Amino acid sequence: MKQHYGEPERLKTGKIMGNDVTIVVLDDDPTGTQTVHGISVLTRWETPLLREQFKAGVPLFYILTNSRSLPEPAARALATDIGQAIRQAAADTGRQVLLISRSDSTLRGHFPAEVDALAEAAGLDDPLIVLAPAFIEGGRITEDDIHYIEENGHRTPVSETPFARDPAFAYQHANLRDWVLEKSKGSIAPDAIISLSLDAIRTKPTAELASDILSQPQASILVINALTYEDLEAVSKVLWTVRKSGRTILLRSAASIVRTLAGLSPKPLLTKGDLLNGQSRTGGLIIAGSFVPKTTQQLAYLNEHSPLPVLEVNVADALTDSPACSARIVREVDAYLEQGQTVLVQSERQLVTGDRPEESLAIGQRVSGTLVDIVKGLRVLPSFIIAKGGITSSDLATKGMGVRVARVIGQIIPGVPVWEAEPGNRFHGIPYVVFPGNVGDEKALVDVLHKLQ
């Protein structure tokens, strides 16, 4: 792979956000980097490491929390630890910070629990929580406060999709006002929720919209409607104006608004020439842990149109004897890689759940742990790695590959970022594709694979 690691990219942020501000994105799985490039991702958050970023005047960086894989008490505790570290590092360096809690564009995650914990730990006094789940690349859009998935010109409220039946994060409402009330279990009052309509975003001046928000001091949640990046650009200007007027804000968002808040220009999709170095190559490795229907469809399409050797992690084996299961698969993967053959390792396609959300998360962690052990145990390094699923890609990067700081070099297809591990890491120079479970059409995995071979 062409070498992309280097100094942080200087974003054109001065006009929109000021040169004394750093946006810090706490990402509850690695897929939130799917709209940015030239940005660092930290997998650790010790105060000295954060202080280095602030001293360098970096305008934007990510902290990978993987909190969506945790039960709610653990997610709250993690948000508290990170919030306190950010607060201390910012105070030590005199740096201003805008915090974003980046989460799933289909509304899965610990809301409002981890957002509240983050705000308190970071010392934010009565922040306005900005709810912006629009993810333009993935067809996640919001209109009249209703959040939709749009595919092939057809809109489906997210409450009518499989994501709303997630065993750990189920919900009933696509109207974001009702969703907030549902998830908050009565702790947020209906009159504390306001929204920016599409009509207002597209017709009113920035200053007027900011004044409208500031005139409602009782508001604690601001719902953002958006269909396009132009909508999010307009919203970003409003939010910076609100912030400069003294109102504290904290975002709970999907990936798209991060780009517009930072003033980051889009980058063309990565080409095969960007990713390949022309040297003799071992085989590549695809690891699929996601259970969402879209991933299963993509795997089926791959098997039909570009069949690969498939090694399956049986859930029962992962739960009863994970070391033996991973050791057996490592031996087979090494053999395929050494022969120059790309191989697919996938979790069993039948979703196994517990009786409670916490039990379902624990089963997922055990399966993910087996996948991690496979990557850790590799003797032959692959020419590329595709990690399918948010929790899977996080665990593989942090625990399997041992990444402390990664660099987002761009997107291989819309909504699918490619990382590079830091110099000195065993996997440095190997494209690491962070492929969300719920992004792309049925042939998207094949499209990505063709760019890497």
Side-chain angles (χ1 to χ4, degrees):
M1 183 172 72
K2 291 185 178 180
Q3 296 301 300
H4 296 273
Y5 221 95
E7 290 299 313
E9 178 170 324
R10 294 293 170 178
L11 312 185
K12 297 178 181 178
T13 55
K15 290 184 179 180
I16 185 170
M17 62 183 274
N19 291 321
D20 60 343
V21 183
T22 293
I23 299 173
V24 182
V25 184
L26 278 65
D27 198 354
D28 73 357
D29 76 23
T31 61
T33 58
Q34 59 206 156
T35 62
V36 300
H37 55 89
I39 301 300
S40 293
V41 182
L42 281 58
T43 67
R44 301 172 65 172
W45 42 86
E46 296 91 343
T47 299
L49 184 60
L50 300 178
R51 196 182 294 126
E52 290 177 10
Q53 300 293 318
F54 291 144
K55 280 185 177 180
V58 174
L60 167 67
F61 67 90
Y62 283 68
I63 299 174
L64 176 57
T65 70
N66 203 28
S67 59
R68 206 184 307 166
S69 71
L70 303 174
E72 185 174 296
R76 284 185 59 90
L78 183 61
T80 297
D81 288 346
I82 297 175
Q84 290 172 343
I86 291 171
R87 184 180 185 179
Q88 184 62 58
D92 291 346
T93 57
R95 192 75 177 165
Q96 294 189 50
V97 178
L98 174 65
L99 290 176
I100 299 177
S101 174
R102 203 296 307 184
S103 191
D104 181 46
S105 62
T106 58
L107 305 183
R108 296 168 299 167
H110 296 291
F111 179 88
E114 67 180 336
V115 176
D116 292 342
L118 175 62
E120 181 178 357
L124 303 186
D125 183 25
D126 187 29
L128 177 66
I129 306 301
V130 179
L131 186 61
F135 171 46
I136 307 306
E137 290 84 350
R140 278 65 151 162
I141 55 176
T142 312
E143 185 171 15
D144 295 329
D145 298 340
I146 298 174
H147 197 50
Y148 298 94
I149 293 180
E150 185 174 59
E151 292 181 307
N152 301 318
H154 176 72
R155 291 183 183 181
T156 304
V158 288
S159 57
E160 299 175 14
T161 70
F163 305 110
R165 298 186 292 275
D166 186 288
F169 302 109
Y171 56 90
Q172 298 179 354
H173 299 285
N175 183 297
L176 293 180
R177 289 174 178 265
D178 294 333
W179 180 83
V180 168
L181 297 176
E182 175 187 359
K183 301 302 287 187
S184 69
K185 300 177 182 178
S187 65
I188 298 173
D191 60 2
I193 306 170
I194 60 175
S195 63
L196 281 181
S197 69
L198 284 175
D199 181 65
I201 291 168
R202 294 175 177 182
T203 62
K204 285 189 175 183
T206 298
E208 184 177 346
L209 285 172
S211 178
D212 290 345
I213 295 169
L214 292 166
S215 69
Q216 302 186 64
Q218 84 288 351
S220 60
I221 302 286
L222 173 62
V223 171
I224 301 299
N225 288 278
L227 302 182
T228 67
Y229 263 109
E230 288 75 18
D231 295 330
L232 293 177
E233 288 168 357
V235 168
S236 295
K237 293 176 182 177
V238 173
L239 295 179
W240 282 118
T241 302
V242 168
R243 187 180 182 278
K244 289 174 183 176
S245 299
R247 185 72 165 98
T248 303
I249 63 174
L250 187 159
L251 282 88
R252 176 71 164 190
S253 78
S256 292
I257 201 170
V258 177
R259 197 183 91 188
T260 59
L261 280 166
L264 180 62
S265 300
K267 178 181 178 179
L269 295 175
L270 296 168
T271 67
K272 183 174 290 192
D274 295 321
L275 298 164
L276 305 183
N277 57 21
Q279 299 174 1
S280 60
R281 296 163 56 78
T282 57
L285 175 60
I286 303 173
I287 298 190
S290 170
F291 287 105
V292 299
K294 187 177 288 292
T295 291
T296 301
Q297 292 166 6
Q298 291 167 345
L299 291 172
Y301 188 91
L302 173 69
N303 184 57
E304 181 179 353
H305 295 275
S306 295
L308 302 172
V310 179
L311 305 174
E312 186 166 273
V313 175
N314 180 270
V315 173
D317 291 345
L319 295 177
T320 58
D321 195 353
S322 179
C325 177
S326 60
R328 171 181 58 79
I329 293 177
V330 164
R331 289 192 295 270
E332 296 183 68
V333 171
D334 275 337
Y336 283 119
L337 296 180
E338 200 161 37
Q339 295 165 13
Q341 191 163 5
T342 294
V343 59
L344 166 64
V345 177
Q346 65 180 31
S347 57
E348 183 181 344
R349 290 295 89 198
Q350 180 64 42
L351 177 61
V352 179
T353 62
D355 294 332
R356 295 178 298 142
E358 295 83 0
E359 294 174 355
S360 296
L361 286 172
I363 292 171
Q365 288 173 340
R366 292 288 295 276
V367 174
S368 187
T370 302
L371 298 176
V372 164
D373 288 342
I374 292 169
V375 172
K376 287 174 66 175
L378 292 177
R379 178 180 59 83
V380 181
L381 290 182
S383 58
F384 62 85
I385 300 174
I386 301 173
K388 196 73 174 70
I391 293 171
T392 299
S393 54
S394 175
D395 283 348
L396 294 185
T398 58
K399 302 172 186 177
M401 298 165 63
V403 173
R404 293 180 69 254
V405 181
R407 193 84 167 149
V408 185
I409 64 172
Q411 281 70 50
I412 190 167
I413 63 173
V416 179
V418 180
W419 292 9
E420 182 179 19
E422 73 271 30
N425 183 285
R426 181 180 180 222
F427 293 86
H428 176 68
I430 296 173
Y432 182 62
V433 181
V434 178
F435 202 140
N438 58 9
V439 168
D441 60 18
E442 66 175 7
K443 62 184 183 65
L445 184 54
V446 171
D447 292 341
V448 168
L449 182 61
H450 287 170
K451 279 194 175 184
L452 291 162
Q453 293 183 315

